[in-house]
Amino acid sequence: MSVVFRSVTKRFGESLALDGVSADVRAGAVTALLGNNGAGKSTLLRVLLGLVAPTSGSATVEGSAYRDLPHPTRTVGTALEGAGFHPSRSGRDHLRMLARAAAVADNRVDEVLDLVDLAGVASKKVGSYSFGMRQRLALAGGLLGGPNVLVLDEPANGLDPRGIRWLRQFLRDFADRGNTALVSSHALAEVAVGADEVMVLHRGRLLAHSPVDEMSSGRRGLEESFFALIEAEPDGRM
Amino acid sequence: MSRLVASELFKLRTMRFTWGLLAGAVGLAGLGTALNISVFVKLLPGLDLGSEAGLHSLLANGANASILMVVLGIVAVAGEYRHGTIAQTFLVTPRRGQVIVAKAVAVAIAGTAMGILAASLSAAVTLSWLVTHSIPIQLPAVAIVLFLLGGIAATALAGVFGVGLGALFRGQVAAIVMAVVVEPLVEPLIAQWLPALGKYLPTSALGALIGRAGSNLLPIWAGGVVYAAYALVLVAAGIAVTNRRPIT
């Protein structure tokens, strides 16, 4: 298993953000992490990436904690929601500064800019970018190291329909090469088309983890199944 | 480590703010020295500007840049929180302490460059004025260079001091106000109450290293040692706090 969560619990003061989440995310598949806002999706991904320390439990990528990976960016590519940019820096310079720290050659910067279709505006300041362009720049940053695991937090936010279709195809090809994609989303419709597996997180607990066609089969589509799961919870209000 | 320093230097180079500060440092050094000369000439006609005391008070203007370097050091760390790039930085380099150390080194390099530029300008203004007014320079060249080196060290260390503060208190504006406004205002009050302690406080130690005139100051070398200790302790504390901080 390439990404493993073992009883991950995270408390922020009184509130329980994650409650004993265990899951094996398999390689060769696109796994969608679904949940309402505040379900704990971002926190779970941040625990995996070593940005937030779990109160208990552990999360590993290819057998080791993120911070112990010898070349983190070559193993795991990330684009997190709320990734920011210095407004007076160009898109290319933003990637160059990351590339330098990651020991990635500068020509790779132009490759990923091409890949996310930002080559034309690469020397413009990020301050002038639209939200969708920033999303693509964040994704480009995640791709710099040529990783075999991708962890994306709400990557479809701000993308236009063409961008979403591109992202879906990109993740498909990525997973089909045997790589692992873990993608959080609160937009169910996008995921039903693109993902192989679904994890449903609600109030910090993992309610389901199954192949997407299993979950969306039968009379109910993915959306109905999702709400059925959540509403079956004792305090299952939205 | 060297690629991390290269990355941090690249970040500094690609911020407009850095170049604004550099312009400010050069302006403070050049204009400050020139203003100082004209004030001394008008108000203290008896003061021999070619004497040791006169030269020191003029040449110390080069190190005015040190206060700006504190700001650059703070911005180098806290600015990453402000603009939301800190998570990306820590994803590339999950060992956060290494990032902070690399920032301290990069800002020290920038501070050295800024210090050299500012010191040279201050010296050029001072010495050319003295020469054109036929005032004998009563310090050997070596003494002048050593004095300027103190100012350059101050400018570099001030950057490290700022990096420590920025790592400790990631709120950029609060950290800057504290370091540049509150601390220098509070320090003389403490020094009045406890004169023995006063000269060991950061702004006084920095002033001693720069060679500012003042009765209750440490010798230059001791000021350097004390200020360097503050900078290193702040960086160490900043690393300890940063390692525990959730990045959300």
Side-chain angles (χ1 to χ4, degrees):
Chain A
M1 283 301 159
S2 87
V3 173
V4 176
F5 298 100
R6 283 284 167 269
S7 310
V8 177
T9 294
K10 178 65 188 177
R11 263 175 205 291
F12 288 110
E14 285 295 291
S15 81
L16 193 57
L18 294 170
D19 185 2
V21 175
S22 291
D24 294 346
V25 180
R26 74 179 173 87
V30 177
T31 300
L33 178 59
L34 301 181
N36 291 320
N37 290 332
K41 303 184 299 288
S42 281
T43 305
L44 186 65
L45 297 184
R46 280 162 199 269
V47 166
L48 174 66
L49 300 169
L51 294 174
V52 170
T55 306
S56 64
S58 66
T60 55
V61 189
E62 309 210 319
S64 57
Y66 185 87
R67 72 187 305 267
D68 296 326
L69 291 168
H71 298 290
T73 38
R74 282 183 224 167
T75 311
V76 187
T78 51
L80 294 182
E81 199 189 15
F85 309 95
H86 196 290
S88 77
R89 213 172 260 142
S90 71
R92 182 183 283 113
D93 281 347
H94 174 79
L95 296 178
R96 279 188 179 164
M97 97 195 180
L98 296 176
R100 254 153 239 227
V104 167
D106 266 358
N107 60 9
R108 176 70 184 153
V109 166
D110 290 311
E111 275 175 39
V112 295
L113 281 166
D114 254 339
L115 200 60
V116 301
D117 202 19
L118 284 178
V121 293
S123 41
K124 292 222 163 73
K125 299 206 183 307
V126 179
S128 70
Y129 284 19
S130 69
F131 186 61
M133 288 157 85
R134 286 170 204 234
Q135 284 285 71
R136 283 184 278 147
L137 182 59
L139 182 62
L143 297 172
L144 271 178
N148 40 23
V149 176
L150 267 182
V151 176
L152 307 180
D153 191 11
E154 302 286 356
N157 271 2
L159 294 186
D160 59 14
R162 197 168 54 109
I164 289 173
R165 190 175 66 170
W166 175 86
L167 178 67
R168 211 181 267 148
Q169 191 55 49
F170 176 82
L171 290 173
R172 182 76 270 139
D173 296 342
F174 183 77
D176 287 348
R177 291 196 301 272
N179 298 314
T180 310
L182 177 58
V183 182
S184 84
S185 179
H186 57 234
L188 300 175
E190 284 153 14
V191 171
V193 189
D196 303 301
E197 306 226 341
V198 179
M199 293 166 69
V200 176
L201 202 60
H202 182 62
R203 300 196 171 187
R205 293 179 46 226
L206 187 63
L207 299 186
H209 183 185
S210 63
V212 68
D213 39 8
E214 207 169 282
M215 215 177 135
S216 55
S217 67
R219 288 171 292 116
R220 302 195 294 212
L222 178 66
E223 191 168 271
E224 287 305 308
S225 307
F226 175 80
F227 286 114
L229 266 171
I230 285 179
E231 281 153 14
E233 286 295 288
D235 53 351
R237 296 170 311 280
M238 291 287 291
Chain B
M1 197 65 204
S2 64
R3 64 192 164 82
L4 291 185
V5 174
S7 173
E8 292 304 328
L9 283 171
F10 186 84
K11 287 178 189 174
L12 291 177
R13 261 198 306 125
T14 51
M15 287 197 304
R16 236 181 333 205
F17 187 68
T18 310
W19 299 102
L21 275 191
L22 181 64
V26 170
L28 272 179
L31 287 177
T33 310
L35 262 171
N36 225 333
I37 291 173
S38 70
V39 167
F40 281 153
V41 169
K42 282 215 175 86
L43 300 183
L44 298 166
L47 181 67
D48 179 0
L49 291 180
S51 70
E52 182 174 6
L55 281 167
H56 280 184
S57 47
L58 292 180
L59 295 174
N61 279 294
N64 287 342
S66 56
I67 198 76
L68 298 179
M69 279 310 296
V70 174
V71 174
L72 187 65
I74 290 171
V75 168
V77 190
E80 288 224 39
Y81 287 93
R82 182 191 161 108
H83 294 296
T85 53
I86 194 73
Q88 296 164 77
T89 295
F90 288 152
L91 286 170
V92 174
T93 314
R95 307 280 168 158
R96 300 179 187 176
Q98 292 182 1
V99 173
I100 305 297
V101 171
K103 282 182 185 293
V105 173
V107 171
I109 292 171
T112 305
M114 217 177 259
I116 290 173
L117 212 63
S120 312
L121 192 63
S122 177
V125 171
T126 301
L127 299 179
S128 61
W129 190 85
L130 291 174
V131 168
T132 52
H133 291 76
S134 310
I135 297 171
I137 296 161
Q138 293 148 48
L139 270 183
V142 178
I144 291 178
V145 169
L146 278 176
F147 183 83
L148 292 173
L149 282 177
I152 293 164
T155 314
L157 283 173
V160 177
F161 188 93
V163 166
L165 278 179
L168 209 49
F169 311 100
R170 61 192 157 166
Q172 183 169 284
V173 177
I176 291 173
V177 169
M178 206 157 54
V180 178
V181 182
V182 178
E183 205 280 339
L185 283 178
V186 170
E187 202 175 299
L189 301 178
I190 299 175
Q192 269 188 340
W193 281 93
L194 300 161
L197 177 73
K199 58 185 165 189
Y200 292 101
L201 296 174
T203 301
S204 298
L206 180 67
L209 174 59
I210 289 169
R212 293 225 162 92
S215 50
N216 188 29
L217 287 178
L218 293 166
I220 288 182
W221 67 268
V225 170
V226 170
Y227 193 71
Y230 275 115
L232 294 181
V233 167
L234 279 176
V235 168
I239 290 173
V241 169
T242 304
N243 276 331
R244 281 171 187 75
R245 183 179 286 147
I247 307 296
T248 54

